[in-house]
Amino acid sequence: MKVLKFGGTSVGTAESLTNVKQIVTACKGQVIVVVSALGGVTNQLIQMADLAEAHSDEWESILEQVKARHMSVIDAVVPEDRQAQCKTVIEGFISEGLYSYYAMLYANNQLPPAYKEQLRDAIVSHGEIMSSAIVASMIDGAVPHYAPNFIKTKDVDYERILDNASFELITKEFGGRLEQVHVTQGFIAEDSTDGKKTNLGRGGSDFTAALIAAALDAEALEIWTDVDGFMTADPRTNPDATVIPQMTYAQAQEMCEAGAKVIYTPTLGPVAFKHIPVWVKNTFNPSATGTVILDPK
Ligand code: ASP
Ligand code: MG
């Protein structure tokens, strides 16, 4: 069993989603697919909350754009017999979920800060909820899973951290399932004490995928992104930059800490602990070998 994580650009357009479908359906064994929000959507969800809180009604037209984008992606990638149902689901998340949250922020400038925070957490969770609904409808037989049921956080000394209970819950959620393709959301979580929506921080989808891979002792974690792998230098400023074919967890960790934006730094911990190889692969160039992160020889 493998865990494949697709980032925002990989699920951002009809063309890239078509690549995602090919990559997933070409896998032989069982796969758990973890997805980010459509590229740019998390930023828009936050921007709309800022606008609504500042009492600008501009959020409404951005929400229309977000809706139109999801609908056009459904038209392009979801098989026709599942399109109407998928659209109804997305329509519900937009009109009943997001619309009412923004309207609340817009109408009440007296909301207590803790309540506003809660609304914002609920709002940002919708990016992955919508993208995963589309990806699950796009792939025949894919089983959808709701990540907040098994990715739990808790507050300790005013800091939100992962709850160890998550590992057992992941095992329960996926253990013994025979279906080939499973789809779930990266990034989003739930507070184990009060059941409120939380998340693992910006870029946290990689971490979700690593937690699932580690809990299930996956044979590999594949991070599908928009670059060919870890590079020897920044390719935008150094034309001689080449892909690093193989690295250790410690080397990858060091590069992440030094600012390489290839994967979210906390990702490596759980997979290194379980000695699970991590592949960084390019959705837009799937035949490129990518970078593999392994134990030192
Ligand atoms: N969608 C979230 C973000 O933009 C999480 C992720 O993509 O990993 O930060
Ligand atoms: Mg990312």
Side-chain angles (χ1 to χ4, degrees):
M1 190 268 293
K2 292 199 284 194
V3 179
L4 273 59
K5 181 263 172 175
F6 292 93
T9 47
S10 297
V11 295
T13 64
E15 294 73 40
S16 64
L17 279 162
T18 305
N19 291 359
V20 169
K21 187 174 180 172
Q22 263 163 20
I23 292 162
V24 171
T25 51
C27 289
K28 297 276 179 294
Q30 199 176 38
V31 282
I32 298 176
V33 177
V34 176
V35 294
S36 287
L38 270 59
V41 165
T42 307
N43 286 343
Q44 283 177 307
L45 293 172
I46 294 168
Q47 184 198 4
M48 287 184 275
D50 293 342
L51 287 165
E53 240 186 281
H55 209 71
S56 159
D57 59 15
E58 230 187 293
W59 64 268
E60 285 197 53
S61 62
I62 302 174
L63 189 58
E64 277 309 313
Q65 288 166 30
V66 168
K67 178 176 164 182
R69 180 171 168 204
H70 284 81
M71 294 301 168
S72 78
V73 161
I74 294 172
D75 280 328
V77 301
V78 173
E80 234 172 272
D81 56 333
R82 296 198 287 266
Q83 278 180 11
Q85 204 220 341
C86 188
K87 284 186 178 177
T88 308
V89 167
I90 300 297
E91 167 73 39
F93 290 133
I94 302 237
S95 312
E96 282 142 46
L98 287 170
Y99 191 94
S100 61
Y101 294 140
Y102 290 127
M104 235 183 282
L105 285 173
Y106 179 73
N108 309 301
N109 47 15
Q110 308 285 11
L111 291 175
Y115 188 67
K116 278 195 216 168
E117 206 43 53
Q118 228 184 84
L119 278 177
R120 282 174 172 269
D121 280 341
I123 285 168
V124 293
S125 73
H126 280 69
E128 273 72 10
I129 289 176
M130 294 192 293
S131 64
S132 63
I134 295 175
V135 171
S137 325
M138 175 177 81
I139 300 168
D140 291 338
V143 182
H145 296 261
Y146 184 56
N149 287 341
F150 50 88
I151 304 289
K152 303 286 181 184
T153 58
K154 58 183 174 187
D155 278 326
V156 179
D157 297 337
Y158 306 103
E159 211 197 328
R160 187 184 282 176
I161 62 159
L162 182 75
D163 188 331
N164 284 334
S166 301
F167 290 93
E168 209 173 299
L169 292 169
I170 293 167
T171 315
K172 276 202 195 119
E173 178 81 18
F174 295 99
R177 300 288 308 233
L178 299 173
E179 302 90 346
Q180 205 194 339
V181 181
H182 299 264
V183 177
T184 194
Q185 307 83 20
F187 176 61
I188 69 173
E190 188 176 276
D191 188 293
S192 57
T193 46
D194 58 18
K196 292 187 179 118
K197 290 295 150 309
T198 58
N199 59 66
L200 302 177
R202 295 302 306 272
S205 292
D206 296 340
F207 191 33
T208 306
L211 294 168
I212 296 174
L216 301 177
D217 284 304
E219 73 197 65
L221 166 63
E222 296 180 1
I223 304 284
W224 287 87
T225 177
D226 52 9
V227 292
D228 280 344
F230 277 89
M231 308 285 286
T232 52
D234 186 340
R236 285 166 305 183
T237 52
N238 191 331
D240 296 329
T242 54
V243 174
I244 304 170
Q246 192 173 327
M247 329 171 65
T248 64
Y249 298 105
Q251 286 166 334
Q253 182 81 22
E254 206 175 297
M255 282 193 77
C256 290
E257 279 161 13
K261 296 229 158 38
V262 185
I263 51 178
Y264 184 55
T265 313
T267 304
L268 290 162
V271 276
F273 182 68
K274 288 290 192 87
H275 314 284
I276 296 168
V278 182
W279 288 90
V280 177
K281 299 270 293 174
N282 191 348
T283 303
F284 302 87
N285 184 19
S287 59
T289 325
T291 298
V292 63
I293 307 165
L294 298 159
D295 279 316
K297 285 240 160 59

